[in-house]
Coordinates of all heavy atoms in Angstrom, one line a residue:
M500 N -29.2 89.4 14.6 CA -29.1 90.5 13.7 C -27.6 90.9 13.8 O -27.1 91.4 12.7 CB -30.0 91.7 14.1 CG -31.4 91.5 13.9 SD -31.9 91.1 12.2 CE -31.9 92.7 11.4
N501 N -26.9 90.9 14.8 CA -25.6 91.4 14.8 C -24.6 90.6 13.8 O -23.8 91.2 13.2 CB -24.9 91.2 16.4 CG -25.5 92.2 17.1 OD1 -25.9 93.3 16.7 ND2 -25.5 92.0 18.4
I502 N -24.7 89.2 13.8 CA -24.0 88.5 12.9 C -24.4 88.3 11.5 O -23.8 88.7 10.7 CB -23.8 87.0 13.5 CG1 -22.9 87.1 14.8 CG2 -23.1 86.2 12.5 CD1 -22.9 85.7 15.6
N503 N -25.8 88.0 11.5 CA -26.3 87.7 10.1 C -26.5 89.0 9.3 O -26.5 89.1 8.0 CB -27.8 87.0 10.3 CG -27.6 85.6 10.5 OD1 -26.4 85.0 10.5 ND2 -28.6 85.0 11.1
Y504 N -26.8 90.1 9.9 CA -27.1 91.4 9.2 C -26.1 92.5 9.5 O -25.5 93.0 8.5 CB -28.5 91.9 9.6 CG -28.9 93.1 8.9 CD1 -29.1 93.3 7.7 CD2 -29.1 94.3 9.7 CE1 -29.5 94.5 7.1 CE2 -29.5 95.5 9.2 CZ -29.7 95.7 7.7 OH -29.9 96.8 7.3
L505 N -25.9 92.8 10.6 CA -24.9 94.1 11.0 C -23.5 93.7 10.6 O -22.8 94.6 10.2 CB -25.1 94.6 12.4 CG -26.6 95.0 12.8 CD1 -26.6 95.4 14.1 CD2 -26.9 96.3 11.8
G506 N -23.1 92.3 10.8 CA -21.8 92.0 10.5 C -21.3 92.2 9.0 O -20.4 93.0 8.6
P507 N -22.1 91.7 8.1 CA -21.8 92.0 6.6 C -21.9 93.5 6.3 O -21.0 93.9 5.4 CB -22.9 91.2 5.9 CG -23.2 90.1 6.9 CD -23.1 90.7 8.2
I508 N -22.7 94.2 6.8 CA -22.9 95.5 6.6 C -21.6 96.4 7.1 O -21.0 97.3 6.3 CB -24.1 96.2 7.1 CG1 -25.3 95.6 6.3 CG2 -24.1 97.8 7.0 CD1 -26.7 96.1 6.8
A509 N -21.1 96.1 8.2 CA -20.0 96.7 8.7 C -18.8 96.4 8.0 O -17.9 97.3 7.7 CB -19.8 96.2 10.2
L510 N -18.7 95.3 7.5 CA -17.4 94.9 6.7 C -17.6 95.5 5.2 O -16.7 96.1 4.7 CB -17.5 93.3 6.4 CG -16.3 92.8 5.4 CD1 -15.1 93.1 6.0 CD2 -16.4 91.4 5.3
T511 N -18.8 95.6 4.8 CA -19.0 96.3 3.4 C -18.6 97.8 3.6 O -18.0 98.4 2.7 CB -20.4 96.2 3.0 OG1 -20.8 94.7 2.7 CG2 -20.7 96.8 1.7
K512 N -19.1 98.4 4.7 CA -18.9 99.8 4.9 C -17.3 100.0 5.0 O -16.8 101.2 4.5 CB -19.5 100.4 6.1 CG -21.0 100.7 6.0 CD -21.7 100.9 7.2 CE -21.4 102.3 7.7 NZ -22.1 102.7 9.0
A513 N -16.5 99.1 5.4 CA -15.1 99.3 5.6 C -14.4 99.1 4.2 O -13.5 99.9 4.0 CB -14.5 98.1 6.5
V514 N -14.9 98.3 3.3 CA -14.1 98.1 2.1 C -14.8 99.0 0.9 O -14.1 99.1 -0.1 CB -14.1 96.6 1.7 CG1 -13.4 95.8 2.8 CG2 -15.5 96.0 1.4
L515 N -16.1 99.3 1.1 CA -16.7 100.0 -0.1 C -15.9 101.4 -0.6 O -16.0 101.5 -1.8 CB -18.3 100.4 0.3 CG -19.1 100.8 -0.8 CD1 -19.1 99.8 -2.0 CD2 -20.5 101.0 -0.3
P516 N -15.5 102.2 0.2 CA -14.9 103.4 -0.3 C -13.8 103.1 -1.3 O -13.8 103.7 -2.4 CB -14.3 104.2 1.0 CG -15.3 103.7 2.1 CD -15.5 102.2 1.8
S517 N -12.9 102.2 -1.0 CA -11.9 101.7 -2.0 C -12.4 101.1 -3.1 O -11.9 101.3 -4.4 CB -10.7 100.9 -1.4 OG -11.2 99.7 -1.0
M518 N -13.4 100.4 -3.1 CA -14.1 99.6 -4.3 C -14.7 100.7 -5.2 O -14.6 100.5 -6.3 CB -15.0 98.6 -3.8 CG -14.5 97.4 -3.1 SD -15.9 96.2 -2.6 CE -15.3 94.9 -3.5
L519 N -15.3 101.7 -4.6 CA -16.0 102.7 -5.4 C -14.9 103.4 -6.4 O -15.4 103.8 -7.4 CB -16.7 103.7 -4.6 CG -17.9 103.1 -3.9 CD1 -18.5 104.2 -2.9 CD2 -19.0 102.7 -4.8
S520 N -13.7 103.5 -6.0 CA -12.7 104.2 -6.7 C -12.1 103.3 -7.9 O -11.6 103.8 -8.8 CB -11.8 104.9 -6.0 OG -11.0 103.7 -5.2
R521 N -12.2 102.0 -7.6 CA -11.4 101.1 -8.5 C -12.4 99.9 -9.0 O -11.9 99.1 -9.8 CB -10.2 100.5 -7.9 CG -10.5 99.8 -6.6 CD -9.2 99.2 -6.0 NE -9.4 98.7 -4.7 CZ -9.9 97.5 -4.5 NH1 -10.2 96.7 -5.4 NH2 -10.1 97.0 -3.2
G522 N -13.6 99.7 -8.6 CA -14.4 98.7 -8.9 C -14.3 97.4 -8.0 O -13.3 97.4 -7.2
G523 N -15.1 96.5 -8.1 CA -14.9 95.2 -7.3 C -16.1 94.4 -7.3 O -17.1 94.7 -8.0
H524 N -16.2 93.5 -6.4 CA -17.2 92.5 -6.3 C -17.5 92.1 -4.7 O -16.6 91.6 -4.2 CB -17.0 91.2 -7.2 CG -18.2 90.5 -7.4 ND1 -18.2 89.6 -8.5 CD2 -19.3 90.3 -6.7 CE1 -19.5 88.9 -8.5 NE2 -20.1 89.3 -7.4
I525 N -18.7 92.6 -4.3 CA -19.0 92.1 -3.0 C -19.8 90.8 -3.1 O -20.8 90.7 -3.7 CB -19.9 93.1 -2.3 CG1 -19.0 94.5 -2.2 CG2 -20.3 92.9 -1.0 CD1 -19.8 95.7 -1.8
V526 N -19.4 89.8 -2.3 CA -20.2 88.6 -2.2 C -20.6 88.3 -0.8 O -19.9 88.2 0.1 CB -19.4 87.4 -2.8 CG1 -20.0 86.1 -2.6 CG2 -18.9 87.6 -4.1
V527 N -22.0 88.1 -0.7 CA -22.6 87.9 0.7 C -23.2 86.4 0.8 O -23.9 86.2 -0.2 CB -23.6 89.0 0.9 CG1 -24.3 88.9 2.3 CG2 -23.1 90.4 0.7
I528 N -22.8 85.8 1.8 CA -23.5 84.5 2.0 C -24.9 84.7 2.9 O -24.8 85.3 3.8 CB -22.6 83.6 2.8 CG1 -21.2 83.5 2.1 CG2 -23.4 82.2 3.0 CD1 -21.3 83.0 0.8
S529 N -25.9 84.3 2.1 CA -27.3 84.4 2.8 C -27.7 83.0 3.0 O -27.1 82.1 3.5 CB -28.2 85.4 2.0 OG -29.3 85.4 2.6
S530 N -29.0 82.9 2.7 CA -29.7 81.7 2.8 C -30.9 81.5 1.9 O -31.5 82.6 1.7 CB -30.0 81.3 4.3 OG -30.9 80.3 4.5
V531 N -31.4 80.3 1.6 CA -32.7 80.2 1.0 C -33.8 80.9 1.9 O -34.8 81.5 1.4 CB -33.2 78.9 0.8 CG1 -34.6 78.6 0.6 CG2 -32.4 78.3 -0.5
Q532 N -33.7 80.9 3.2 CA -34.5 81.5 4.1 C -34.5 83.1 4.1 O -35.4 83.7 4.7 CB -34.2 81.1 5.5 CG -34.6 79.6 5.7 CD -34.5 79.1 7.2 OE1 -35.0 79.9 8.2 NE2 -33.9 78.0 7.4
G533 N -33.6 83.7 3.4 CA -33.7 85.1 2.9 C -34.7 85.4 1.8 O -35.0 86.5 1.7
L534 N -35.1 84.3 1.2 CA -36.0 84.2 0.1 C -37.4 83.9 0.5 O -38.4 84.6 0.0 CB -35.6 83.5 -1.1 CG -34.2 83.7 -1.7 CD1 -33.8 82.8 -2.6 CD2 -34.2 85.2 -2.3
I535 N -37.5 82.9 1.5 CA -38.8 82.5 2.1 C -38.7 82.2 3.5 O -37.7 81.8 3.9 CB -39.2 81.2 1.4 CG1 -38.2 80.2 1.4 CG2 -39.6 81.4 0.0 CD1 -38.6 78.7 1.1
G536 N -39.7 82.6 4.2 CA -39.7 82.3 5.6 C -40.1 80.8 5.9 O -40.9 80.3 5.2
L537 N -39.7 80.3 7.0 CA -40.0 79.0 7.4 C -40.5 79.0 8.8 O -40.0 79.8 9.6 CB -38.8 78.0 7.3 CG -38.3 77.8 5.9 CD1 -37.1 76.9 6.0 CD2 -39.4 77.2 5.1
P538 N -41.4 78.2 9.3 CA -41.9 78.2 10.6 C -40.8 77.8 11.5 O -39.9 77.1 11.2 CB -42.9 77.0 10.5 CG -43.3 76.7 9.2 CD -42.1 77.1 8.4
A539 N -40.9 78.5 12.7 CA -39.9 78.3 13.8 C -38.5 78.8 13.5 O -37.5 78.5 14.1 CB -39.8 76.8 14.2
R540 N -38.4 79.6 12.4 CA -37.2 80.2 12.1 C -37.4 81.9 11.8 O -36.7 82.3 10.9 CB -36.5 79.6 10.9 CG -36.3 78.1 11.0 CD -35.2 78.0 12.0 NE -34.8 76.6 12.2 CZ -35.6 75.7 12.9 NH1 -36.5 76.1 13.6 NH2 -35.2 74.4 13.0
T541 N -38.3 82.4 12.4 CA -38.7 83.8 12.1 C -37.6 84.8 12.3 O -37.4 85.6 11.3 CB -39.9 84.2 13.1 OG1 -41.0 83.2 13.0 CG2 -40.4 85.5 12.7
A542 N -36.8 84.7 13.3 CA -35.7 85.7 13.6 C -34.7 85.4 12.7 O -34.1 86.4 12.1 CB -35.2 85.6 15.0
Y543 N -34.4 84.1 12.3 CA -33.2 83.9 11.4 C -33.6 84.4 9.9 O -32.9 85.1 9.2 CB -33.0 82.4 11.3 CG -31.9 82.0 10.4 CD1 -30.5 82.2 10.6 CD2 -32.2 81.5 9.1 CE1 -29.6 81.9 9.7 CE2 -31.2 81.1 8.3 CZ -29.9 81.3 8.5 OH -28.9 80.9 7.6
S544 N -34.9 84.0 9.7 CA -35.4 84.5 8.3 C -35.4 86.0 8.1 O -35.0 86.6 7.1 CB -36.9 83.9 8.1 OG -36.7 82.5 7.8
A545 N -35.9 86.7 9.4 CA -35.9 88.1 9.2 C -34.5 88.8 9.0 O -34.3 89.7 8.3 CB -36.5 88.6 10.5
S546 N -33.5 88.1 9.7 CA -32.2 88.7 9.5 C -31.6 88.5 8.1 O -30.9 89.3 7.5 CB -31.2 88.1 10.5 OG -31.0 86.7 10.3
K547 N -31.9 87.4 7.5 CA -31.6 87.2 6.1 C -32.4 88.0 5.1 O -31.8 88.4 4.0 CB -31.7 85.7 5.8 CG -30.8 84.9 6.6 CD -29.2 85.2 6.3 CE -28.3 84.3 7.1 NZ -26.9 84.5 6.8
H548 N -33.6 88.2 5.4 CA -34.5 89.1 4.5 C -33.9 90.5 4.6 O -33.8 91.2 3.5 CB -35.9 89.1 5.0 CG -36.7 88.1 4.4 ND1 -36.8 86.8 4.8 CD2 -37.7 88.1 3.4 CE1 -37.6 86.1 4.1 NE2 -38.2 86.8 3.2
A549 N -33.5 90.9 5.7 CA -32.9 92.2 6.0 C -31.6 92.4 5.0 O -31.2 93.5 4.3 CB -32.6 92.6 7.4
L550 N -30.9 91.3 5.1 CA -29.7 91.3 4.4 C -30.0 91.6 2.8 O -29.3 92.2 2.1 CB -29.0 90.0 4.6 CG -27.3 89.8 4.4 CD1 -26.6 90.6 5.2 CD2 -27.0 88.3 4.4
H551 N -31.0 90.8 2.3 CA -31.3 91.0 0.9 C -31.8 92.3 0.6 O -31.4 92.9 -0.3 CB -32.4 89.9 0.5 CG -31.9 88.5 0.4 ND1 -31.8 87.9 -0.8 CD2 -31.4 87.7 1.4 CE1 -31.3 86.8 -0.6 NE2 -31.1 86.5 0.7
G552 N -32.7 93.0 1.5 CA -33.1 94.3 1.3 C -31.9 95.3 1.2 O -31.8 96.1 0.2
F553 N -30.9 95.2 2.0 CA -29.8 96.1 2.1 C -29.1 95.9 0.8 O -28.7 96.9 0.1 CB -28.9 96.0 3.3 CG -27.8 96.8 3.4 CD1 -27.9 98.1 3.8 CD2 -26.5 96.4 2.7 CE1 -26.8 98.9 3.9 CE2 -25.4 97.3 2.9 CZ -25.6 98.5 3.4
F554 N -28.6 94.7 0.5 CA -27.6 94.5 -0.6 C -28.3 94.5 -2.1 O -27.5 94.8 -3.0 CB -26.8 93.2 -0.4 CG -25.8 93.3 0.7 CD1 -25.9 92.8 1.9 CD2 -24.5 93.8 0.4 CE1 -25.0 93.0 2.9 CE2 -23.6 94.2 1.2 CZ -23.8 93.6 2.6
D555 N -29.7 94.2 -2.1 CA -30.3 94.6 -3.3 C -30.3 96.0 -3.7 O -30.1 96.4 -4.7 CB -31.7 94.1 -3.3 CG -31.9 92.5 -3.5 OD1 -30.7 91.9 -3.8 OD2 -32.9 91.9 -3.2
G556 N -30.5 96.9 -2.6 CA -30.5 98.3 -2.8 C -29.1 98.7 -3.1 O -28.9 99.6 -4.0
L557 N -28.1 98.1 -2.3 CA -26.7 98.6 -2.7 C -26.4 98.2 -4.0 O -25.6 99.0 -4.6 CB -25.8 97.9 -1.6 CG -24.3 98.3 -1.7 CD1 -24.1 99.7 -1.5 CD2 -23.5 97.4 -0.8
R558 N -26.7 97.2 -4.5 CA -26.4 96.7 -6.0 C -26.8 97.8 -6.9 O -26.1 98.2 -7.8 CB -27.1 95.4 -6.2 CG -26.9 94.8 -7.6 CD -27.6 93.7 -8.1 NE -27.3 92.5 -7.2 CZ -28.2 91.9 -6.3 NH1 -29.4 92.4 -6.3 NH2 -27.8 90.9 -5.6
A559 N -28.0 98.2 -6.7 CA -28.5 99.4 -7.6 C -27.8 100.7 -7.5 O -27.4 101.3 -8.4 CB -30.0 99.5 -7.4
E560 N -27.3 101.0 -6.3 CA -26.6 102.1 -6.1 C -25.1 102.1 -6.6 O -24.6 103.2 -7.1 CB -26.6 102.5 -4.5 CG -27.8 102.8 -4.0 CD -27.7 103.1 -2.5 OE1 -26.6 103.4 -2.0 OE2 -28.7 103.0 -1.7
V561 N -24.5 101.0 -6.5 CA -23.0 101.0 -6.9 C -22.8 100.4 -8.2 O -21.6 100.4 -8.7 CB -22.2 100.1 -5.8 CG1 -22.4 100.9 -4.5 CG2 -22.6 98.7 -5.7
A562 N -23.8 99.9 -8.9 CA -23.5 99.3 -10.4 C -22.8 100.3 -11.2 O -22.0 100.0 -12.0 CB -24.8 98.7 -10.8
P563 N -23.4 101.6 -11.3 CA -22.6 102.5 -12.1 C -21.2 102.8 -11.8 O -20.5 103.3 -12.7 CB -23.4 103.8 -11.9 CG -24.7 103.4 -11.3 CD -24.5 102.1 -10.4
R564 N -20.8 102.4 -10.7 CA -19.3 102.6 -10.2 C -18.5 101.3 -10.5 O -17.5 101.1 -9.9 CB -19.2 103.0 -8.8 CG -20.1 104.2 -8.5 CD -19.5 105.6 -8.7 NE -18.2 105.8 -8.0 CZ -18.3 106.4 -6.8 NH1 -19.3 106.8 -6.2 NH2 -17.1 106.8 -6.2
K565 N -19.0 100.3 -11.2 CA -18.4 99.0 -11.5 C -18.1 98.2 -10.2 O -17.1 97.6 -10.2 CB -17.1 99.3 -12.2 CG -17.1 100.2 -13.4 CD -17.2 99.3 -14.8 CE -17.2 100.2 -16.0 NZ -18.2 100.7 -16.4
V566 N -19.1 98.2 -9.3 CA -19.0 97.3 -8.2 C -20.2 96.4 -8.4 O -21.3 96.9 -8.4 CB -19.0 98.1 -6.9 CG1 -19.1 97.1 -5.7 CG2 -17.9 99.1 -6.8
D567 N -19.9 95.1 -8.3 CA -21.1 94.1 -8.4 C -21.3 93.6 -7.0 O -20.5 93.6 -6.1 CB -20.5 92.9 -9.3 CG -20.4 93.3 -10.7 OD1 -21.0 94.0 -11.2 OD2 -19.3 92.8 -11.3
V568 N -22.5 93.2 -6.8 CA -23.0 92.6 -5.5 C -23.8 91.4 -5.8 O -24.6 91.3 -6.7 CB -23.9 93.7 -4.8 CG1 -24.4 93.0 -3.4 CG2 -23.2 94.9 -4.5
T569 N -23.3 90.3 -5.2 CA -23.9 88.9 -5.4 C -24.3 88.5 -4.0 O -23.6 88.5 -3.1 CB -23.0 87.9 -6.0 OG1 -22.5 88.5 -7.2 CG2 -23.5 86.6 -6.2
L570 N -25.6 87.9 -3.9 CA -26.0 87.2 -2.6 C -26.1 85.8 -3.0 O -26.7 85.3 -4.0 CB -27.4 87.8 -2.3 CG -27.5 89.0 -1.7 CD1 -28.7 89.7 -2.0 CD2 -27.3 88.9 -0.2
V571 N -25.4 85.0 -2.3 CA -25.3 83.4 -2.5 C -26.3 82.9 -1.4 O -26.2 83.3 -0.3 CB -23.9 83.0 -2.1 CG1 -23.8 81.4 -2.2 CG2 -22.9 83.5 -3.0
C572 N -27.2 82.1 -1.9 CA -28.3 81.4 -1.1 C -28.3 79.9 -1.1 O -29.1 79.3 -1.8 CB -29.7 82.1 -1.7 SG -29.8 83.8 -1.6
P573 N -27.3 79.5 -0.3 CA -27.3 78.0 -0.1 C -28.6 77.4 0.4 O -29.3 78.1 1.0 CB -26.2 77.7 0.7 CG -25.6 78.9 1.1 CD -26.5 80.0 0.6
G574 N -29.1 76.1 0.0 CA -30.1 75.5 0.5 C -29.7 74.9 2.0 O -28.9 75.5 2.6
Y575 N -30.5 73.8 2.3 CA -30.4 73.3 3.8 C -28.9 72.7 3.9 O -28.3 72.2 3.2 CB -31.3 72.3 4.0 CG -31.2 71.6 5.3 CD1 -31.6 72.4 6.3 CD2 -30.6 70.5 5.5 CE1 -31.5 71.8 7.8 CE2 -30.4 69.9 6.8 CZ -30.8 70.6 7.9 OH -30.8 70.1 9.2
V576 N -28.3 73.3 5.1 CA -27.1 72.8 5.5 C -27.1 72.4 7.0 O -27.8 73.1 7.7 CB -25.9 74.0 5.4 CG1 -24.6 73.5 6.0 CG2 -25.8 74.4 3.9
R577 N -26.8 71.1 7.3 CA -27.0 70.7 8.6 C -26.0 71.4 9.5 O -24.9 71.2 9.5 CB -26.9 69.2 8.6 CG -27.3 68.6 10.0 CD -27.3 67.0 9.9 NE -27.4 66.4 11.2 CZ -28.5 66.1 11.8 NH1 -29.6 66.4 11.2 NH2 -28.6 65.5 13.0
T578 N -26.6 72.2 10.5 CA -25.9 72.9 11.5 C -26.7 72.9 12.8 O -27.7 72.3 12.8 CB -25.6 74.4 11.1 OG1 -26.9 75.0 11.2 CG2 -25.0 74.5 9.7
A579 N -26.0 73.5 13.8 CA -26.7 73.5 15.1 C -27.7 74.6 15.2 O -28.3 74.9 16.3 CB -25.6 73.6 16.2
L580 N -28.0 75.3 14.0 CA -29.0 76.5 14.0 C -30.3 76.0 14.7 O -30.9 76.8 15.5 CB -29.2 76.9 12.7 CG -30.3 77.8 12.5 CD1 -29.8 79.3 13.1 CD2 -30.7 78.1 11.0
S581 N -30.8 74.8 14.4 CA -32.1 74.4 15.0 C -32.0 74.3 16.5 O -33.0 74.4 17.2 CB -32.5 73.1 14.4 OG -31.7 72.2 14.6
L582 N -30.9 73.8 17.0 CA -30.8 73.8 18.5 C -30.9 75.0 19.2 O -31.5 75.1 20.3 CB -29.3 73.1 18.8 CG -29.0 71.8 18.4 CD1 -27.6 71.5 18.6 CD2 -29.9 70.8 19.0
N583 N -30.7 76.1 18.6 CA -30.7 77.4 19.2 C -31.8 78.2 18.7 O -32.1 79.4 19.1 CB -29.4 78.2 19.0 CG -28.2 77.5 19.6 OD1 -28.3 77.1 20.7 ND2 -27.2 77.2 18.7
A584 N -32.8 77.7 17.8 CA -33.7 78.4 17.3 C -34.9 78.5 18.4 O -34.9 77.8 19.5 CB -34.3 77.6 16.2
L585 N -35.8 79.4 18.2 CA -36.8 79.7 19.3 C -38.1 79.1 18.8 O -38.4 79.1 17.6 CB -37.0 81.3 19.5 CG -35.8 81.9 20.0 CD1 -36.2 83.5 20.1 CD2 -35.3 81.4 21.2
D586 N -38.9 78.5 19.7 CA -40.1 78.0 19.3 C -41.2 79.0 19.4 O -41.0 80.2 19.8 CB -40.5 76.7 20.2 CG -40.6 76.9 21.7 OD1 -40.8 78.2 22.0 OD2 -40.6 76.0 22.5
A587 N -42.4 78.7 19.2 CA -43.5 79.6 19.1 C -43.7 80.4 20.4 O -44.1 81.6 20.5 CB -44.9 79.0 18.7
S588 N -43.4 79.8 21.6 CA -43.5 80.4 22.7 C -42.3 81.2 23.2 O -42.2 81.8 24.2 CB -43.7 79.4 24.0 OG -42.7 78.5 24.0
G589 N -41.3 81.2 22.4 CA -40.1 82.0 22.6 C -39.0 81.2 23.4 O -38.0 81.6 23.8
G590 N -39.3 79.9 23.7 CA -38.4 79.0 24.4 C -37.4 78.4 23.2 O -37.7 78.5 22.1
R591 N -36.3 77.7 23.8 CA -35.4 77.2 22.9 C -35.9 75.9 22.2 O -36.5 75.0 22.9 CB -34.2 76.7 23.8 CG -32.9 76.2 23.0 CD -31.7 76.3 23.8 NE -30.6 75.8 23.1 CZ -30.0 74.7 23.3 NH1 -30.2 74.0 24.4 NH2 -28.9 74.3 22.6
H592 N -35.8 75.7 20.9 CA -36.3 74.6 20.2 C -35.5 73.3 20.6 O -36.1 72.3 20.9 CB -36.1 74.8 18.6 CG -36.4 73.8 17.7 ND1 -37.8 73.5 17.5 CD2 -35.8 72.8 16.9 CE1 -37.9 72.4 16.7 NE2 -36.6 72.2 16.3
G593 N -34.3 73.5 20.7 CA -33.5 72.3 21.3 C -33.3 71.0 20.7 O -32.9 70.1 21.3
K594 N -33.7 70.9 19.4 CA -33.3 69.6 18.7 C -32.9 69.9 17.3 O -33.3 70.9 16.6 CB -34.7 68.7 18.8 CG -35.9 69.2 18.3 CD -37.1 68.4 18.5 CE -38.3 69.2 18.0 NZ -39.6 68.4 18.2
M595 N -32.2 68.9 16.7 CA -31.8 69.1 15.3 C -32.9 68.8 14.4 O -33.8 68.0 14.5 CB -30.7 68.0 15.0 CG -29.4 68.3 15.8 SD -28.5 69.8 15.3 CE -27.9 69.3 13.7
D596 N -32.9 69.5 13.3 CA -33.7 69.4 12.2 C -33.4 68.2 11.4 O -32.1 67.8 11.4 CB -33.8 70.6 11.3 CG -34.5 71.8 11.9 OD1 -35.2 71.6 12.8 OD2 -34.2 72.9 11.4
D597 N -34.3 67.4 10.8 CA -34.0 66.3 9.9 C -33.5 66.8 8.6 O -33.6 67.7 8.1 CB -35.3 65.4 9.6 CG -35.7 64.8 11.0 OD1 -34.9 64.4 11.9 OD2 -36.9 64.6 11.1

């Protein structure tokens, strides 16, 4: 949650006051897993869903002040995420996804 959710919010809180006075565009990198949950990725999906909830709400709040909010949701990208994912028992998944 610290990186996937709280990090983008902290950065947004830092830049938003100046954007509200002059307009701007906030772009947030999320994931397809912010739209749908996948097995064995519950925590990751939850952090990305939280990101969508926050920034979808923020978009509605700041639109009248000429600030746009975009969530970018790339599909699968081969990273070490699966190595560190937790399995159903809470243990480390420990292998790369195909």
